[in-house]
Amino acid sequence: MTVEPFRNEPIERFGTEESKKAMRRALAEVRAQFGQEYPLVIAGERVFPGAFIDSLDPSDPARVVGRVARARKEDAEAALEAAWKAFASWKRWDQEARSRVLLKAAHLMRQKKTELTAWMVYEVGKNWIEASADVAEAIDFLEYYARAALRFKGPEAIEVVPFPGEDNESFYIPLGAGVSISPWNFPVAIYTGMFAGPIAVGNTVVAKPAEDSSVVAYKVFEIMEEAGLPPGVLNFLPGIGEEVGAYLVEHPRTRFINFTGSLEVGSWINKAAGEVRPGQRFLKRVITEMGGKDAIIVDRSADLELAAQGIIQSAYGFSGQKCSAASRLIVLEEVHDLLMEKVEAKTRALSVGPAEENPDMGPVINAAQEKKILHYIALGKNEGQLVLGGEKLEGPGFFIAPTIFTEVPPKARVAQEEIFGPVLSVIKVKNFDEALEVANDTVYGLTGGVYARDREVLERARREFHVGNLYFNRKITGALVGVQPFGGFNLSGTGAKTGSHDYLRLFLQMKTVAERF
Ligand code: NAD
């Protein structure tokens, strides 16, 4: 099999009139399809169990983007059964053939890039560029894992030391049928990456998308089907996390659980999956990618203009609803006031509004999340100094003003707990020692950043800033597949490093055969 070397998919930035026009057309086409019903898909069969989950437009929750079938436990049971059945043949496919399905899917997704982008604008409130970057990342996952999987094929993938009189070989085999449970904030990229990895190397999957983003997940499922993925290899099972998600986590025949979401749910999954239940014949493999309380440190040697720009992008891109978003800003006191002037001015200039109008910031995802963020804002008013924002904005959607608290003590709740909204807590420190100490002092360890010109400062941070993804003199969001393998330390997760070759190893086991002649 010959494939071109992997290259990241370019992100559409809508710089031309033509691209803007195409996007407006796609938005209108998507609007015309609002309110349709979407089924579960089990072993290639469309199923309508009766109940639906309405997926709403967070820019205007009166608009029902789509009504997605709500799986019951018996559907989850059937989906897992279908995945095991499909595993018997999928595991025997040539690796090249499996990879080809992913490459074909990437090709189809590229053709539907604008359409998928438009669905996300309405379903999760991403602005155009954020939504388009999400699709580009999904294409990257398909392209990258298709190639990476080729490295794990056959006995030649593992070199063993020769032993006299024996033929020894070790090779990788897939695990079996598993579950992927994904969040709403990267509804195309993370959803795709989480099933594409396991499937690429011969596993089969029941994929449960998040309740708030199941319409676009269905669109992705259709692409996989069109690419030629055999029925049952991927099963589309939208539903309520606590119902079907939990059922599958506890199920004795679930071989692996690939989870991305909150610390709360991830820790429960880790515990629940650890119990060996009647009929179970293996220990479940659990991969959990969870939250963050990510910090940017600004050193006295920093380029403050550059820093302010990166801080705004990292804190307020997609309204701060990224696991990698900057939610703490740790600043050396000498540069604090000057930096904050710049950060405040740039924050004040941000536009907030309905995502279809392509503002800097759209809404937050739903009413519950809006309530949670406003609760943290109320807390922050007691814990620090509110200098900007701090309120819900007018309009039918879940719009929250970009918010800044200064003078926040490092142990304050707004400096320790994940808020997942457009709220930045600023902590003033005396020197770089203190900055590192504060930066490392949360339960998380996902992303982090340092703005400095001083080489010693950067080298020290390289060793001592304990996060899975560390960025110098640039924004701390937007990790690129293959370029910056992604995943965190501490309670940010098991460090899966998505977008790396290692990621696929998580869904494989090594078999060793020794034959004496
Ligand atoms: P969430 O934990 O509420 O939900 C994630 C998924 O888990 C959803 O599909 C949900 O239905 C399901 N779920 C909920 N309860 C469950 C249960 N008891 N059993 C099984 N499944 C269950 O998270 P969310 O609100 O969708 O996403 C936001 C969170 O995800 C944030 O904490 C964010 O930091 C994190 N996140 C992490 C990464 C990463 O790579 N580390 C990436 C994106 C998002």
Side-chain angles (χ1 to χ4, degrees):
M1 181 179 187
T2 54
V3 281
E4 281 174 42
F6 172 78
R7 276 184 25 245
N8 293 103
E9 180 71 13
I11 296 168
E12 176 60 67
R13 294 186 188 278
F14 304 98
T16 64
E17 236 356 271
E18 200 187 327
S19 62
K20 283 183 197 149
K21 220 190 259 172
M23 184 61 190
R24 283 194 209 102
R25 205 178 313 122
L27 288 168
E29 276 164 20
V30 163
R31 270 198 312 274
Q33 298 171 65
F34 273 3
Q36 287 184 5
E37 294 181 349
Y38 300 90
L40 321 171
V41 190
I42 300 171
E45 299 289 329
R46 265 66 186 159
V47 181
F48 283 100
F52 289 92
I53 300 172
D54 286 351
S55 185
L56 311 178
D57 174 1
S59 299
D60 180 358
R63 300 206 281 206
V64 179
V65 174
R67 311 193 68 217
V68 186
R70 173 175 167 173
R72 303 156 302 180
K73 286 181 183 162
E74 50 264 48
D75 303 312
E77 185 70 41
L80 192 59
E81 188 56 42
W84 274 113
K85 205 162 161 231
F87 179 65
S89 53
W90 183 242
K91 69 177 177 187
R92 294 209 170 84
W93 276 45
D94 284 349
Q95 184 52 58
E96 281 85 350
R98 285 198 297 253
S99 290
R100 248 176 245 125
V101 176
L102 266 64
L103 293 173
K104 172 80 182 184
H107 171 77
L108 294 172
M109 200 178 269
R110 206 170 276 119
Q111 289 177 338
K112 297 188 174 174
K113 211 170 167 179
T114 321
E115 182 193 331
L116 289 170
T117 303
W119 278 107
M120 269 187 283
V121 166
Y122 286 119
E123 198 174 24
V124 298
K126 289 200 175 204
N127 71 16
W128 298 9
I129 297 178
E130 295 279 357
S132 142
D134 197 320
V135 186
E137 188 179 347
I139 295 170
D140 282 353
F141 279 133
L142 292 166
E143 293 275 359
Y144 186 90
Y145 293 147
R147 289 168 174 77
L150 297 170
R151 286 203 185 182
F152 291 97
K153 67 168 187 179
E156 64 273 21
I158 303 158
E159 208 179 301
V160 288
V161 175
F163 190 80
E166 280 186 8
D167 171 39
N168 287 287
E169 69 164 355
S170 290
F171 50 92
Y172 288 114
I173 60 170
L175 297 173
V179 186
S180 75
I181 302 176
S182 49
W184 50 264
N185 70 332
F186 283 86
V188 174
I190 293 185
Y191 175 71
T192 301
M194 285 178 66
F195 68 68
I199 279 176
V201 289
N203 300 282
T204 54
V205 171
V206 177
K208 200 214 80 65
E211 292 86 329
D212 288 303
S213 59
S214 295
V215 173
V216 76
Y218 180 76
K219 301 285 166 192
V220 171
F221 177 84
E222 281 184 323
I223 289 174
M224 298 312 297
E225 236 179 2
E226 198 185 334
L229 202 63
V233 172
L234 176 66
N235 300 278
F236 179 67
L237 198 86
I240 305 290
E242 292 83 348
E243 292 172 13
V244 283
Y247 180 80
L248 288 166
V249 166
E250 290 176 334
H251 201 291
R253 295 198 73 207
T254 295
R255 182 64 184 81
F256 62 89
I257 299 147
N258 195 14
F259 171 80
T260 303
S262 61
L263 169 60
E264 191 195 351
V265 175
S267 340
W268 177 82
I269 287 178
N270 206 39
K271 183 162 168 253
E275 194 181 323
V276 177
R277 290 161 211 275
Q280 192 170 322
R281 290 169 166 226
F282 38 71
L283 291 177
K284 292 169 189 167
R285 199 171 284 180
V286 181
I287 295 117
T288 54
E289 290 301 298
M290 307 184 288
K293 190 69 196 175
D294 312 308
I296 292 180
I297 300 177
V298 179
D299 183 52
R300 59 170 72 91
S301 68
D303 175 336
L304 298 185
E305 186 55 35
L306 188 75
Q309 202 179 319
I311 290 161
I312 301 304
Q313 290 173 329
S314 310
Y316 302 119
F318 191 33
S319 305
Q321 302 174 108
K322 298 181 189 178
C323 54
S324 54
S327 62
R328 293 182 298 155
L329 173 58
I330 302 169
V331 195
L332 272 73
E333 58 187 7
E334 292 113 290
V335 291
H336 178 276
D337 293 356
L338 204 54
L339 175 75
M340 288 318 297
E341 248 174 57
K342 293 177 189 292
V343 170
E344 279 174 49
K346 287 188 195 299
T347 307
R348 208 170 269 127
L350 294 175
S351 57
V352 185
E356 65 189 333
E357 289 167 17
N358 199 24
D360 295 315
M361 249 178 61
V364 300
I365 187 70
N366 56 31
Q369 191 57 23
E370 181 185 75
K371 192 169 161 209
K372 180 180 163 194
I373 297 166
L374 292 173
H375 170 72
Y376 273 107
I377 288 177
L379 271 178
K381 286 178 181 166
N382 291 323
E383 291 182 317
Q385 193 80 38
L386 177 73
V387 294
L388 212 64
E391 61 196 354
K392 177 174 165 50
L393 297 175
E394 286 213 359
F398 306 116
F399 302 114
I400 296 185
T403 297
I404 301 177
F405 290 109
T406 56
E407 310 296 335
V408 177
K411 292 283 192 195
R413 285 185 63 191
V414 291
Q416 290 286 325
E417 298 172 19
E418 188 183 49
I419 301 171
F420 224 55
V423 181
L424 183 66
S425 297
V426 185
I427 304 166
K428 203 192 280 176
V429 291
K430 287 198 167 46
N431 49 42
F432 199 70
D433 287 343
E434 196 186 336
L436 274 178
E437 204 175 293
V438 170
N440 286 331
D441 189 21
T442 76
V443 295
Y444 296 107
L446 189 48
T447 69
V450 179
Y451 279 89
R453 290 190 180 100
D454 185 335
R455 170 71 18 211
E456 255 180 64
V457 160
L458 293 177
E459 291 305 330
R460 204 171 147 209
R462 190 180 287 271
R463 292 187 304 270
E464 295 176 32
F465 196 161
H466 192 60
V467 291
N469 286 67
L470 181 59
Y471 300 92
F472 293 159
N473 297 320
R474 52 151 287 176
K475 65 175 177 146
I476 65 171
T477 54
L480 286 173
V481 170
V483 179
Q484 291 123 357
F486 189 78
F489 296 154
N490 300 344
L491 289 179
S492 285
T494 49
K497 288 302 180 193
T498 61
S500 73
H501 286 103
D502 283 12
Y503 184 68
L504 298 188
R505 178 70 183 83
L506 300 171
F507 307 102
L508 290 165
Q509 51 196 339
M510 195 194 291
K511 183 165 182 174
T512 298
V513 182
E515 181 177 354
R516 182 151 300 175
F517 296 126

